[in-house]
Amino acid sequence: MATDPKKYSLNHTMLRVKDPQRSIKYYELLGMKQINKIENPDAKFDLYFLAYDTPKSLSGGQHWTARQGVLELTHNYGTEKDESFKVANGNSDPGKGFGHICISVDAIQAACQRIEDAGYRFQKRLTDGRMRHIAFALDPDGYWVEIIAFNPVDKTEDVKETDAGTYRFNHSMIRVKDHEKSLKFYQDIMGMSLIRTSENESNGFNLYFLAYPGDEAVPKESANGVNPTAEREGLLELTWNYGTEKDASFKYHNGNDEPQGFGHICIAVDDIDAACKRFGEKGVNWKKKLTDGRMKNIAFVLDPDGYWIEVIQNEKLEGRTIGR
């Protein structure tokens, strides 16, 4: 069977967590639900998969591999009992690389107030600084959770209620050394489309948003005047800080070397055998080929910065059924 990148999707982002129950409680406050759990007692770790799963969600009720906007939390047994254990959130050296995940909400003022009322901290409140249309909450492990709005921010100032069932897991952000290399890789090899660019010359960085748009058109206008893609899920944000591409010694942290935190992003494909054959023909660097080891149902590709990209089978699409 041939493979069609137009049928691929950005399925999930994986984060390591210290205490899964503490983390699940937090993400349930943000409206997510646990939709799958994979236990690995022999290897002493469990995987928890969370997503938005209401009738108002973009992929509510779907098989976990057939979704976009899934969050995978990895728990290595015993970390919750280790007072010294701490993950690297990706935003400070020596673990700088991954930046944040982002949720999109209906009424950003009410949503932020709800998080604060529950006792959680913020890296940036909505009222901090000049950018009054975004906030950054902190999850229990210190990962940054960006909060954006899919309704006009100036129209929700007096709204006191928020419906978490309408939220979206909009995007995940990673920093890249060379934007040209990364954009070429994610478009030409991984099959994504560049759907939005935000240039910030005065601050010395650009943001590039990629997605598997499928049959969806890219909106030309924004609900809030800033982000025309806020109602979507499954976006990847690449942040490029000017000049890093010229520094031969510069390198971002992939999250899997010490100190650990972020693990990988994952794409679900229409036919995993055909997709991996295509990736091989395009000369990708492999972390794990489909035929390596005992797990013959997943592969891991390395992007230009060494970030891991898991490849899995979308169970809803015709192809190889893996039963994971």
Side-chain angles (χ1 to χ4, degrees):
M1 179 180 172
T3 184
D4 181 2
K6 292 182 180 179
K7 295 181 180 178
Y8 297 0
S9 59
L10 182 55
N11 176 255
H12 71 255
T13 295
M14 186 276 265
L15 303 176
R16 295 176 178 87
V17 298
K18 176 176 178 139
D19 184 334
Q21 298 312 314
R22 183 180 67 169
S23 295
I24 289 170
K25 180 181 178 182
Y26 177 82
Y27 286 104
E28 286 179 342
L29 176 73
L30 299 189
M32 290 186 167
K33 296 181 180 178
Q34 183 179 318
I35 59 169
N36 192 35
K37 180 182 180 183
I38 298 176
E39 298 180 347
N40 296 276
D42 293 342
K44 297 183 179 180
F45 71 89
D46 291 340
L47 310 176
Y48 300 82
F49 296 84
L50 294 89
Y52 290 105
D53 195 42
T54 73
K56 300 174 183 178
S57 303
L58 293 180
S59 56
Q62 296 290 319
H63 189 274
W64 74 272
T65 64
R67 296 170 180 254
Q68 300 194 90
V70 177
L71 179 64
E72 175 186 352
L73 304 179
T74 294
H75 172 234
N76 293 293
Y77 295 178
T79 55
E80 73 281 8
K81 300 174 184 177
D82 183 352
E83 292 184 3
S84 66
F85 180 85
K86 185 179 180 181
V87 302
N89 70 9
N91 290 299
S92 60
D93 289 322
K96 195 170 186 177
F98 169 76
H100 61 261
I101 61 172
C102 173
I103 64 167
S104 180
V105 303
D106 55 349
I108 192 167
Q109 297 89 349
C112 289
Q113 189 62 52
R114 182 170 174 267
I115 295 169
E116 189 164 1
D117 288 346
Y120 294 105
R121 297 179 298 132
F122 280 76
Q123 178 67 26
K124 176 201 176 298
R125 288 182 171 81
L126 197 60
T127 53
D128 293 342
R130 292 179 299 171
M131 300 179 72
R132 301 300 177 94
H133 58 279
I134 63 171
F136 282 90
L138 294 172
D139 90 344
D141 286 286
Y143 291 113
W144 295 14
V145 181
E146 184 180 12
I147 303 167
I148 63 174
F150 55 74
N151 287 322
V153 173
D154 59 349
K155 298 292 194 299
T156 58
E157 290 180 353
D158 297 323
V159 176
K160 303 302 181 184
E161 299 294 328
T162 181
D163 182 0
T166 66
Y167 292 5
R168 310 281 192 247
F169 180 2
N170 181 254
H171 70 259
S172 298
M173 185 276 266
I174 55 175
R175 298 174 178 91
V176 298
K177 174 177 179 174
D178 187 324
H179 67 300
E180 292 183 352
K181 285 184 179 179
S182 294
L183 288 171
K184 181 177 176 63
F185 172 83
Y186 281 103
Q187 291 177 98
D188 296 351
I189 296 178
M190 303 312 293
M192 302 185 87
S193 297
L194 179 64
I195 63 171
R196 179 183 170 226
T197 299
S198 175
E199 298 182 349
N200 299 271
E201 293 185 17
S202 61
N203 293 310
F205 70 90
N206 289 356
L207 311 177
Y208 303 93
F209 294 84
L210 298 107
Y212 292 106
D215 296 327
E216 273 191 274
V218 178
K220 302 299 183 184
E221 297 182 0
S222 168
N224 55 21
V226 177
N227 188 342
T229 58
E231 292 196 42
R232 291 174 176 257
E233 289 190 319
L235 275 63
L236 177 65
E237 176 186 355
L238 305 181
T239 294
W240 168 55
N241 292 292
Y242 298 175
T244 53
E245 76 283 4
K246 299 175 183 177
D247 183 348
S249 65
F250 186 87
K251 184 179 181 181
Y252 280 120
H253 184 71
N254 66 13
N256 292 300
D257 301 323
E258 294 293 342
Q260 292 186 324
F262 163 77
H264 59 261
I265 59 172
C266 173
I267 65 167
V269 299
D270 53 352
D271 185 283
I272 194 167
D273 296 292
C276 287
K277 181 180 178 182
R278 175 181 171 273
F279 293 146
E281 290 171 347
K282 286 185 171 290
V284 301
N285 292 319
W286 296 97
K287 180 64 183 179
K288 178 198 176 298
K289 293 183 178 179
L290 198 59
T291 53
D292 292 344
R294 291 180 299 172
M295 300 180 71
K296 308 296 185 183
N297 55 0
I298 61 172
F300 282 90
V301 172
L302 296 175
D303 90 342
D305 287 280
Y307 294 115
W308 296 15
I309 304 171
E310 185 179 13
V311 183
I312 64 172
Q313 174 69 46
N314 182 335
E315 294 278 10
K316 283 276 186 158
L317 298 179
E318 187 177 339
R320 182 171 146 190
T321 301
I322 60 177
R324 182 181 177 206

